Amino acid sequence: VVDTTVGATDADVEAVEMLRRAKVPVLLVANKVDSAAMELEATQLWSLGVGEPFAVSALHGRGSGDLLDEIVKRLPEVGSGRLRESGPRRVALLGRPNVGKSSLLNRLAGEERSVVDSVAGTTVDPVDELVDIAGTTWRFVDTAGIRRRVKGASGPEWYASLRTQAALERSEVCVVLIDASEELSEQDVRIVAKVIESGRALVLALNKWDLVDKETGTMEKMRKDIMRDLSFMSYAPIVFISAMTGQRTDRL
């Protein structure tokens, strides 16, 4: 990709030489051709010796369709058959501090992998653990609790928030834990929204179900309350669990 408004630089020439040695198909893209007048400038890139420059504007989408057609045309009919091993499926455990993420990881692993304490914020670094469940290996990531105001955080808390965000982006499925014994908080809603924005699959785990008074809080009532407050994620499954007792963790 070459900046048409600047023309071919020494760095572009070096990149072309490297690609020639690599013996792979090369497409020369002349970017920032935002108008018909700029197309004349793009023709000067023939001098790089890698064929016709495809004039596009990444900003406006101009010419991108023709470029995609050409990319598809140059793909081999049959692949090499070499696939990179994807490894275990990655599941991130998210939620506000002291909601039971570490307890859940320990329950799933069947042993004490994460430090559990009644003091909120015990987990600072994401803890990756390979867990075998019914013969299948999963990678669970216990993350630091997402606090109310990340922008106002500083020091270790700020870095913890960055590492939690990175764990979210590396995961395929996010399990958001919500404390079933407390009212749904604005913080819970924000965490769910963050997962949806990331495009990851979402499962809601209402933890500490063993602490809920079953006369005042039935599953059906709580499910309706959650759907009312989180109507934008009505597609996501909800599981009522207790990480402490192991209740319904198999269903999760």
Side-chain angles (χ1 to χ4, degrees):
V1 181
V2 179
D3 185 340
T4 307
T5 61
V6 174
T9 64
D10 291 343
D12 295 326
V13 173
E14 286 180 23
V16 167
E17 290 301 321
M18 181 180 67
L19 289 169
R20 279 206 185 97
R21 292 194 297 272
K23 293 184 171 60
V24 294
V26 177
L27 277 173
L28 175 61
V29 180
N31 193 25
K32 301 189 182 179
V33 180
D34 300 331
S35 64
M38 285 298 296
E39 289 185 8
L40 186 62
E41 299 292 326
T43 59
Q44 296 182 24
L45 297 177
W46 276 95
S47 61
L48 285 170
V50 284
E52 179 185 0
F54 281 82
V56 304
S57 169
L59 187 63
H60 302 114
R62 194 170 186 270
S64 58
D66 292 339
L67 176 61
L68 283 171
D69 288 342
E70 187 63 27
I71 291 171
V72 172
K73 194 187 300 180
R74 298 195 187 199
L75 288 171
E77 288 292 326
V78 181
S80 64
R82 292 175 296 171
L83 289 176
R84 183 176 62 85
E85 290 186 16
S86 58
R89 296 288 185 163
R90 300 185 65 91
V91 182
L93 305 177
L94 298 174
R96 51 193 170 93
N98 207 28
V99 79
K101 298 181 294 295
S102 298
S103 296
L104 178 59
L105 177 61
N106 290 338
R107 171 62 61 178
L108 294 170
E111 57 184 292
E112 296 296 312
R113 304 285 187 97
S114 288
V115 176
V116 176
D117 199 287
S118 58
V119 176
T122 310
T123 303
V124 177
D125 290 313
V127 179
D128 282 42
E129 287 295 349
L130 292 174
V131 178
D132 185 273
I133 301 175
T136 301
T137 302
W138 300 77
R139 184 182 295 278
F140 283 90
V141 185
D142 176 17
T143 63
I146 298 177
R147 296 186 179 277
R148 192 166 284 105
R149 291 187 180 88
V150 171
K151 289 181 180 176
S154 61
E157 193 173 291
W158 184 73
Y159 285 109
S161 70
L162 290 184
R163 288 190 286 269
T164 296
Q165 181 64 33
L168 164 63
E169 291 169 359
R170 294 199 330 269
S171 67
E172 296 172 273
V173 178
C174 290
V175 176
V176 175
L177 279 81
I178 293 173
D179 191 334
S181 65
E182 298 179 3
E183 291 288 324
L184 189 73
S185 69
E186 182 187 338
Q187 208 172 344
D188 294 321
V189 176
R190 190 158 46 245
I191 293 168
V192 170
K194 188 185 285 282
V195 173
I196 291 174
E197 285 168 14
S198 73
R200 302 302 180 269
L202 168 66
V203 176
L204 281 183
L206 268 66
N207 192 27
K208 305 186 183 181
W209 186 244
D210 54 312
L211 302 180
V212 175
D213 183 353
K214 303 307 184 290
E215 292 184 9
T216 58
T218 63
M219 282 188 191
E220 194 55 39
K221 180 181 180 301
M222 194 160 288
R223 194 185 300 273
K224 285 180 179 176
D225 290 344
I226 291 288
M227 286 298 103
R228 185 189 65 239
D229 296 331
L230 299 174
S231 57
F232 57 90
M233 45 62 61
S234 57
Y235 62 88
I238 300 174
V239 186
F240 296 84
I241 67 169
S242 169
M244 195 59 66
T245 66
Q247 187 180 15
R248 292 191 197 83
T249 52
D250 56 337
R251 185 175 176 190
L252 176 67

